[in-house]
Amino acid sequence: MNAANILGAAQLESRRGRSDPYLAFRQELFDEGLLVPTGVDGLYLRAERFEEIVRGLDVLVSLAGRAEASATYHFPLVMSRALLDRTDYVRSFPDLLGTVQSFAGDDRAHAELLRTVEEGGEWVAHLEPTDIALCSAACHPLYPSQSGPLPFGGRTVEVYGQCFRHEPSVDPARMQAFRQHEFVYLGTPEGARRHRDLWVERALSLHRSLGLEVEAVVANDPFFGRSGRMLAANQRDEALKIEIVSPICSSESPTAITSANCHEDHFGLEFDIVADDGAVAHTACVGFGVERVTLALLHTHGLRKESWPPSVRNVLGL
Amino acid sequence: MNAANILGAAQLESRRGRSDPYLAFRQELFDEGLLVPTGVDGLYLRAERFEEIVRGLDVLVSLAGRAEASATYHFPLVMSRALLDRTDYVRSFPDLLGTVQSFAGDDRAHAELLRTVEEGGEWVAHLEPTDIALCSAACHPLYPSQSGPLPFGGRTVEVYGQCFRHEPSVDPARMQAFRQHEFVYLGTPEGARRHRDLWVERALSLHRSLGLEVEAVVANDPFFGRSGRMLAANQRDEALKIEIVSPICSSESPTAITSANCHEDHFGLEFDIVADDGAVAHTACVGFGVERVTLALLHTHGLRKESWPPSVRNVLGL
């Protein structure tokens, strides 16, 4: 079953065309009212019919891992700006980060701000930095709260996080604000590797139970610039990052919908997290890209849940 | 039933003390693990036990209004920056807004950025404005999509929105990032007033069914500066904004947990929204402050749901 039953011939033709598969699928999502454009590429209002799928998926992901999790936390899209520095994000991904500025002036400064607004000038020049940044990765806000010794066997925490990446794109799967449903492990190097490998298998099964065509591939993060190329090569050589990819806009270039990563002692060192053997903790996480899995389902089964296979609707409670 | 059954004597004493009721209640929420501090006042990680209440509340609010709503949308915490200007937010609330900056340079500029980071300098000086802002009010991202003629009788839209206000505070009810569950009406002046008045009554009933002590009061938005005082006085004179207040940290100064507002033609004019009689549309909204209602429930019934009145647990599905 696929989108064919609800698409007109012209829409299907445009979707099959290789010229712009991203624009074509995005337009279908707009036409169907699942996403509403905001005038900024990569920022959308989401319809209730989109969120229904998200809620079903969240329940499924939780069930798959909650038994091991000692706590479950929900994070906002903003965090302390200091974390961008402490996690090395400003070094590795400066082009994706977001920091927040606001106005801190008096009545007179306000009058100047308004003059610039009236003149159509760049009024943000009147603003000042705050100590807040957009959240760079769902698990980053967790680490400061994990400082100190871990219990025997380590700790697993479930995280409903929100992330920002400044990468305006017409690809509907490349949103600037999106959610990650994660399970983060903190403990020994072996525990971290086990958590990661276990979740690659679990995530493959979970996605296949939803009728998705998936594959696990070694991947790298989009480290910035010349120095970043070495970091990316190292990450691949060590197979630290495994992505689960599935077709969303294109079968030739499937999209990462879930990612499972070993961070080695990167966060353990910076945040003084100590494993049960007294060594610096290693960490690992699996992150389900909630919007991307939802889009993969819509691509695979069609834009209306009424046409989805009953088994998939059933497992998602739709 | 109240928090007494789970608080130690010292905690109760500190909570009764008038010196710092906000700090005291916040500490109780931290101690109980319902909120986790992030190092930034007004930004917290939320525990699953907090979100359970939020989910129950969302179902209840939806049931109260969804019959009238022709659509339901979910908004992210970020939006197009142009909206800050178009909604007059930059004029009226510059101190509360947030705009987003990011890095747009090359390898050389990146090296300079990193030098400033290493030296502990103000590295955000190396960033540039983006076209993205933090969402100023849950309903703001809705209006651009509503341009044009409205159907007969107007339109009601349900919105799950996220808001940002740059107002760091130790008051746990004054978060910098929070959610509003809204019903927005667009149509005639009479329709807007009716929507607002209907929702004041509905919200009072809904909150009372949850055992909350509530009261409706005429209020004003925190307009900035000298010129803002006039806007605030006008808003009060016209009784455009009604807040439903309930004790959270202090009985003497109850907190607004829900707000119902007439916007007159403020948004209709700017976004070319036209009522069924051909005139500029008036709009009105009711917004449930999801975190604040949750905190009012925790204050009123105690920090553990096990001690809550069965009727309240039942109505929230807890």
Side-chain angles (χ1 to χ4, degrees), chain A residues 2-8 11 28 32 34 298 301-304 307:
Chain A
N2 60 38
N5 50 350
I6 61 151
L7 294 178
Q11 282 174 295
E28 288 172 31
E32 192 57 35
L34 285 156
L298 291 165
H301 302 306
L303 299 190
R304 296 192 177 171
S307 66

Side-chain angles (χ1 to χ4, degrees), chain A residues 149-154 187-190 273-282:
Chain A
L150 292 165
F152 181 75
T188 60
E190 302 71 38
I273 311 170
V274 181
D276 56 19
D277 59 1
V280 174
H282 279 225

Side-chain angles (χ1 to χ4, degrees), chain A residues 147-257:
Chain A
S147 295
L150 292 165
F152 181 75
R155 180 182 291 140
T156 303
V157 180
E158 181 181 23
V159 169
Y160 288 83
Q162 299 183 54
C163 311
F164 175 82
R165 285 191 199 149
H166 184 246
E167 45 176 359
S169 167
V170 296
D171 177 357
R174 198 165 286 282
M175 295 187 183
Q176 296 202 59
F178 57 94
R179 287 163 288 181
Q180 289 271 0
H181 191 159
E182 294 205 355
F183 284 92
V184 182
Y185 168 88
L186 312 97
T188 60
E190 302 71 38
R193 184 64 74 156
R194 204 161 47 231
H195 177 83
R196 202 279 301 270
D197 293 345
L198 174 73
W199 270 105
V200 169
E201 292 309 316
R202 268 189 195 164
L204 284 170
S205 301
L206 188 150
H207 292 314
R208 286 182 182 133
S209 78
L210 294 171
L212 296 180
E213 183 191 318
V214 285
E215 194 185 357
V217 297
V218 172
N220 62 268
D221 287 308
F223 293 99
F224 180 82
R226 268 199 300 270
S227 58
R229 280 198 287 276
M230 216 170 61
L231 292 168
N234 180 60
Q235 195 182 28
R236 280 185 169 271
D237 288 349
E238 308 277 334
L240 296 176
K241 184 179 191 69
I242 307 288
E243 284 180 349
I244 293 178
V245 298
S246 185
I248 294 183
C249 292
S250 142
S251 299
E252 293 90 56
S253 313
T255 303
I257 59 174

Side-chain angles (χ1 to χ4, degrees), chain A residues 33 36 38 40 43-48 51 55 66 72-81 84-85 90-91 94-103 105-107 110 113-114 117-118 122-124 127 129-132 134 141-142 145 160 162 164 166 176-177 224-226, chain B residues 33 36 38 40 43-48 51 55 66 72-81 84-85 90-91 94-103 105-107 110 113-114 117-118 122-124 127 129-132 134 141-142 145 160 162 164 166 176-177 224-226:
Chain A
V36 178
T38 66
V40 176
L43 276 192
Y44 310 103
L45 318 184
R46 304 179 306 269
E48 172 66 12
E51 289 302 298
R55 286 195 295 268
R66 194 168 277 180
T72 298
Y73 292 114
H74 300 249
F75 298 175
L77 182 64
V78 284
M79 63 177 200
S80 166
R81 172 155 68 91
L84 287 181
D85 190 0
V90 60
R91 291 172 190 79
D95 50 331
L96 301 179
L97 67 75
T99 65
V100 177
Q101 29 181 23
S102 191
F103 176 75
D106 56 11
D107 270 312
H110 187 220
L113 166 67
L114 292 193
V117 171
E118 300 304 336
E122 188 49 291
W123 54 266
V124 296
L127 307 185
T130 70
D131 56 355
I132 292 176
L134 279 296
L142 177 70
S145 69
Y160 288 83
Q162 299 183 54
F164 175 82
H166 184 246
Q176 296 202 59
F224 180 82
R226 268 199 300 270
Chain B
V36 178
T38 66
V40 176
L43 277 193
Y44 310 102
L45 316 185
R46 304 179 306 269
E48 172 66 13
E51 289 301 298
R55 286 195 294 268
R66 195 168 279 181
T72 299
Y73 292 115
H74 299 250
F75 298 175
L77 182 64
V78 285
M79 63 177 199
S80 166
R81 173 155 68 91
L84 288 180
D85 190 1
V90 60
R91 293 172 189 79
D95 50 331
L96 300 178
L97 67 75
T99 65
V100 177
Q101 29 180 24
S102 191
F103 177 75
D106 57 10
D107 270 310
H110 186 221
L113 166 68
L114 292 192
V117 171
E118 300 305 335
E122 188 49 289
W123 54 265
V124 295
L127 306 185
T130 71
D131 56 355
I132 291 176
L134 279 295
L142 177 69
S145 69
Y160 289 83
Q162 300 182 53
F164 175 82
H166 184 245
Q176 296 202 59
F224 181 82
R226 269 199 300 270

